[in-house]
């Protein structure tokens, strides 16, 4: 892997040296954008207060990232500072609050507010290099709630990578095809490499369909991690959109897999309805898979730059995972939340 990194950097320098050195008039744009979000969440078929049994203290939640607290809670404040030109630029994406802390959970010190931090060089119309910390290219969902229809997140997103640090090259193969190649630290180790482990990434795109690959040793694992992921979407009419995500992850015979459909229907300029129907499982050699089916129905009601998201969610596992209101073991949990997401630019 170290030889691959050396070759990668040599190819970068060769590509840069081969470019026309003629100066161009800079056309740069400074901007600040971002979002603020908060929510209320409650369990419908289980307790919301902390309770204890022989194994310890529990809070019930769907078991996915970010929107997992009961009562009134904060999401995050997100400030994205960028200075972008036709050739070069940078992005500094800062996050504050519980959602942001969960997203950068392996960052330390002052880096624990950095969601993304990278600089880029648009070498030609068909080649762009990016160096730094950037959010993952795998999966259908993203960290910022502005980019998701549902406010809560899927199991695939919650268990997959959040962010990477490294060097990537975006290549426009044609008007329809694109290719991204990357060499990165271990997944989510965005500000340090503790043991010399590196991960390779690739993405092949055709219009709005993407095949994503991840392979490499991860810090703490002696065997390499492999993940293949498909993300796509298509308009099935003027008001109907269907998104899809499928993934498979394996490290020495253990990992996870899943698939989800995201049908969304626009009722008016202000109101849209969307469903996430996800099947997800953990696999391990010689053991039965733990699987879950999660259905999440969300509405998006937009008032200028504010989006109100009421959401009903049902998680149903193959084994007893939750407790009902009588504190009896249960395979299912129904919950409700309502979120407010404000974006600015």
């Amino acid at each position: 892997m170290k030889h691959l990194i050396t070759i990668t950097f040599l190819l970068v320098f060769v590509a840069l040296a081969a470019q026309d050195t003629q100066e161009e008039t800079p056309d740069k744009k400074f901007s600040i954008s971002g979002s603020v979000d908060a929510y209320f969440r409650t369990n419908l078929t289980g307790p919301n207060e902390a309770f204890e049994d022989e194994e310890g203290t529990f809070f019930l939640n769907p078991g996915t990232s970010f929107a997992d607290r009961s009562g009134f809670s904060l999401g995050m404040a997100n400030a994205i500072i960028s200075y972008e030109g036709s050739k070069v630029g940078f992005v500094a994406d800062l996050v504050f609050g519980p959602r942001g802390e969960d997203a950068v959970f392996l960052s330390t010190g002052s880096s624990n507010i950095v969601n993304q931090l990278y600089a880029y060089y648009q070498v030609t119309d068909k080649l762009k290099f990016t160096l730094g910390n950037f959010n993952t290219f795998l999966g259908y969902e993203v960290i910022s709630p502005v980019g998701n229809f549902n406010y809560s997140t899927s199991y695939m997103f919650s268990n997959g990578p959040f962010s990477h640090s490294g060097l990537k090259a975006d290549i426009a193969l044609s008007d329809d095809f694109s290719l991204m190649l990357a060499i990165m630290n271990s997944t989510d180790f965005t500000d340090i490499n503790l043991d010399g482990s590196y991960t390779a990434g690739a993405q092949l795109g055709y219009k709005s369909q993407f095949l994503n690959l991840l392979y490499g040793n991860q810090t703490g694992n002696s065997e390499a991690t492999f993940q293949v992921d498909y993300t796509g979407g298509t308009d099935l009419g003027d008001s109907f959109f269907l998104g899809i995500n499928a993934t498979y992850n394996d490290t020495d015979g253990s990992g996870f897999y899943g698939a989800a459909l995201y049908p969304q229907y626009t009722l008016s300029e202000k109101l849209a309805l969307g469903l996430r129907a996800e099947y997800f499982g953990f696999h391990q050699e010689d053991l039965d898979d733990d699987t879950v089916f999660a259905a999440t129905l969300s509405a998006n009601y937009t008032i200028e730059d504010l989006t109100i998201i009421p959401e009903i969610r049902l998680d149903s596992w193959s084994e007893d995972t939750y407790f009902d209101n009588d504190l009896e073991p249960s395979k299912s949990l129904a919950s409700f939340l309502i979120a407010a997401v404000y974006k600015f630019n």
Side-chain angles (χ1 to χ4, degrees):
M1 185 65 75
K2 292 181 180 178
H3 295 298
L4 176 61
I5 296 170
T6 302
I7 294 172
T8 300
F9 277 103
L10 286 174
L11 291 175
V12 170
F13 288 129
V14 169
L16 298 182
Q19 301 310 304
D20 188 353
T21 58
Q22 181 179 357
E23 294 185 0
E24 298 182 6
T25 303
D27 181 19
K28 297 180 180 179
K29 179 182 178 182
F30 178 81
S31 66
I32 299 178
S33 61
S35 64
V36 172
D37 64 284
Y39 66 96
F40 170 83
R41 194 192 74 83
T42 186
N43 294 323
L44 302 177
T45 59
N48 287 285
E49 68 277 6
F51 65 95
E52 296 184 0
D53 69 1
E54 63 275 7
E55 296 184 5
T57 302
F58 290 87
F59 290 89
L60 290 189
N61 58 60
T64 54
S65 299
F66 307 149
D68 54 0
R69 304 186 179 197
S70 293
F72 294 99
S73 186
L74 304 178
M76 69 180 185
N78 182 203
I80 304 172
I81 305 165
S82 63
Y83 191 53
E84 301 181 86
S86 58
K87 284 288 186 181
V88 297
F90 76 84
V91 172
D93 181 348
L94 308 179
V95 289
F96 309 86
R99 189 182 185 107
E101 291 176 0
D102 291 346
V104 297
F105 65 100
L106 287 180
S107 298
T108 59
S110 60
S111 297
N112 64 7
I113 64 169
V114 176
N115 181 38
Q116 299 184 96
L117 183 63
Y118 60 82
Y120 69 83
Y121 177 29
Q122 187 77 48
V123 183
T124 70
D125 291 340
K126 298 183 180 297
L127 177 62
K128 177 182 177 181
F129 288 113
T130 301
L131 179 65
N133 169 20
F134 40 85
N135 288 158
T136 188
F137 52 94
L138 285 82
Y140 185 86
E141 300 176 19
V142 295
I143 292 171
S144 171
V146 173
N148 298 330
F149 192 94
N150 307 102
Y151 185 76
S152 68
T153 54
S154 69
Y155 286 92
M156 285 184 289
F157 172 78
S158 300
N159 287 275
F162 285 169
S163 297
H164 311 280
S165 280
L167 173 68
K168 66 174 181 174
D170 291 288
I171 306 165
L173 301 176
S174 69
D175 290 341
D176 294 331
F177 282 94
S178 64
L179 177 66
M180 187 280 294
L181 300 173
I183 187 72
M184 306 165 293
N185 287 345
S186 294
T187 294
D188 293 316
F189 282 87
T190 55
D191 58 355
I192 193 172
N193 190 317
L194 295 174
D195 58 0
S197 297
Y198 289 94
T199 298
Q203 179 185 80
L204 179 64
Y206 175 70
K207 296 184 177 179
S208 57
Q209 318 301 313
F210 299 94
L211 179 65
N212 309 299
L213 297 171
L214 194 74
Y215 181 81
N217 288 338
Q218 305 297 305
T219 297
N221 289 324
S222 58
E223 300 295 331
T225 290
F226 168 76
Q227 186 167 351
V228 58
D229 179 274
Y230 167 72
T231 304
T234 185
D235 291 313
L236 299 179
D238 293 338
S239 302
F240 187 43
F241 172 82
L242 180 63
I244 186 171
N245 185 203
T247 199
Y248 177 82
N249 173 288
D250 183 85
T251 305
D252 194 25
S254 300
F256 59 85
Y257 56 89
L261 294 176
Y262 296 81
Q264 298 164 14
Y265 187 77
T266 301
L267 298 172
S268 68
E269 291 183 0
K270 292 187 175 182
L271 180 62
L273 295 177
L275 175 70
R276 176 180 59 224
E278 179 186 22
Y279 181 78
F280 177 87
F282 292 104
H283 70 88
Q284 186 174 351
E285 288 185 352
D286 302 324
L287 294 176
D288 292 336
D289 292 0
D290 290 329
T291 61
V292 59
F293 176 75
T296 306
L297 179 63
S298 306
N300 281 198
Y301 183 73
T302 304
I303 309 168
E304 296 181 353
D305 292 325
L306 176 67
T307 302
I308 307 297
I309 308 175
E311 184 171 290
I312 294 177
R313 175 169 177 156
L314 176 63
D315 295 65
S316 182
W317 282 86
S318 55
E319 303 292 336
D320 288 336
T321 304
Y322 303 110
F323 293 88
D324 62 21
N325 285 313
D326 296 323
L327 299 187
E328 294 295 327
S330 174
K331 295 180 180 180
S332 301
L333 178 69
S335 57
F336 168 81
L337 70 77
I338 183 167
V341 180
Y342 186 89
K343 63 179 180 179
F344 61 90
N345 50 39

